[in-house]
Amino acid sequence: MAVYTDHIRLLFGLKLKQIRLDKGLSISELGQISGLSVSYLTEIEKGRKYPKTDKIAALAKAMDVDYDTLVSLKLSKKLEPISELLRSRFLTEIPLELLGIDPSDLLELLAEAPAKVSAMISTVMNIGRSYHVSVERLYMAVLRSYQEMHDNYFEDIEQDGDRFLTEFASSHSLVDENLLSSLLRTRYNYKLVNFSRESHPELAALRSVFRPESGTLYLNSHLSVEQRTFILAREVGFQYLNLKIRPYTYSYVEVESFEQILNNYKASYFAGTILIRRTDLITRLQAIFDQTNWSNDAFLNLIQSFNATPERFFYRLSNLLPKYFGIDQLFFYRFNNTAGQTNFHLTKEMHLTRQQGPKSMVDEHYCRRWVALTILQELAFLQKNKNHVGALCQAQLSTYADTGNTFLIVSVAQPYQPHQQQNMSVSMCFKMTDTLKSKMRFLNPLSPNISQRIVNEACERCGIFDCRERVAAPTGLQKKRQVDAMKKALEELK
């Protein structure tokens, strides 16, 4: 739907309502005078319908205003903040319907107090600009909310994956690079071409580039087999699901619309369904959950048996655990780190629980007791001193000192960009509940292969003063205590 058409409808509805109210008319009174039904007028005022010329004329006559005044896009001073908001594209760029919000309801709220509500939204947008929140990050935040609302499970895409497997893959066989390459070439007329960072250094950060005019998919020659297979599966997903609006690079160079982000997610989800079959994964997960002892090696072997990266495997877990195991108090996150350095960057997160979990921080240091960080330090040590290659897996029971919340965290670390000494850890975190203990036998009693630690969120907020891993003073905690002491002193004043 065209943005401009949406604007005209919304503005006309707001203007009609404001003039009606200024004239002291109820919607039923306007209906009687104009000869239009109340339900139709309601749809107009909510911005869902735009009346034809004869009906606009009837409304103008009923309210004793000029036709041109009614259809003009110029708003009164009271409604001008809404016009500014529409020009900012907030209402049209953010897919409110996906989040369960009817845009007309939001417009109705805006109409009641346009200056105040618009000022609030403008403030949020300005804060985003101040912290350099890009359009891509805004869209990704909306996508994460959409995933969380649905427990990151979409049955329609699961069924599309099942149909693909029935059509192209024999029972329980892995969908591999050869099958996907063949399908892209023969069914979808793709050309597959490799490029290297040596020949195209400006494209070194990209895993793939698709040129629709020639049907050519350029693949970075330094990809692992697992990465390459996923990219091919995602390309099949774009074609099989008939997703026309899509990004042409992996990763994003420039984001053009939320639909582009959403379709990329759908194609990626589809790739997960065909590369990691849900029936096989559910069966094999159950076997691990039924063990009385946790095994890091067994879990790594499970990941590798699906020819998946740890990140893709964990992501697939987040699709299926809530639906098929009733385990929905969980979150997923990814950290990047340069071997030998002490900076850790949270590069992806998704929460299927509103409980405790890592969030993007500004000018603070994540707790160095998190297994997601300690496993990166251990991997870097092994790479330097023992020529270690491949991945590490560790499990930890983490209890937050401030809240007492406890999580089982399974973390896998592996090289990410070896030529730049970049490593990555991905972690799946489970809130410790009676349901979790009943599903995972190795938690009750706790397997000796799972370490236990007291953790916190950030050094700046942490009250564990004898912590050997601390890398920053608890300045945030000290400030909070000073404010609390001031509030207490104010209350004691007579």
Side-chain angles (χ1 to χ4, degrees), residues 334-349:
R334 180 183 73 192
F335 279 96
N336 286 13
N337 168 253
T338 300
Q341 296 187 7
T342 58
N343 295 325
F344 301 90
H345 305 283
L346 180 64
T347 53
K348 184 176 287 187
E349 58 180 315

Side-chain angles (χ1 to χ4, degrees), residues 112-170:
E112 296 299 327
K116 293 181 180 179
V117 179
S118 297
M120 179 193 72
I121 295 176
S122 297
T123 299
V124 173
M125 295 170 68
N126 287 333
I127 291 173
R129 294 189 192 101
S130 298
Y131 284 99
H132 307 292
V133 177
S134 63
V135 172
E136 177 188 344
R137 290 181 64 185
L138 178 61
Y139 286 158
M140 293 304 295
V142 174
L143 177 62
R144 282 198 300 271
S145 296
Y146 178 60
Q147 294 170 255
E148 292 163 8
M149 286 172 58
H150 294 85
D151 285 337
N152 202 30
Y153 179 84
F154 295 89
E155 180 61 30
D156 56 336
I157 307 180
E158 295 283 349
Q159 291 180 5
D160 288 330
D162 289 342
R163 281 192 292 272
F164 174 90
L165 291 169
T166 300
E167 187 175 355
F168 295 107
S170 59

Side-chain angles (χ1 to χ4, degrees), residues 101-113:
I101 301 172
D102 189 328
S104 63
D105 291 337
L106 181 56
L107 261 293
E108 189 171 2
L109 174 64
L110 284 166
E112 296 299 327

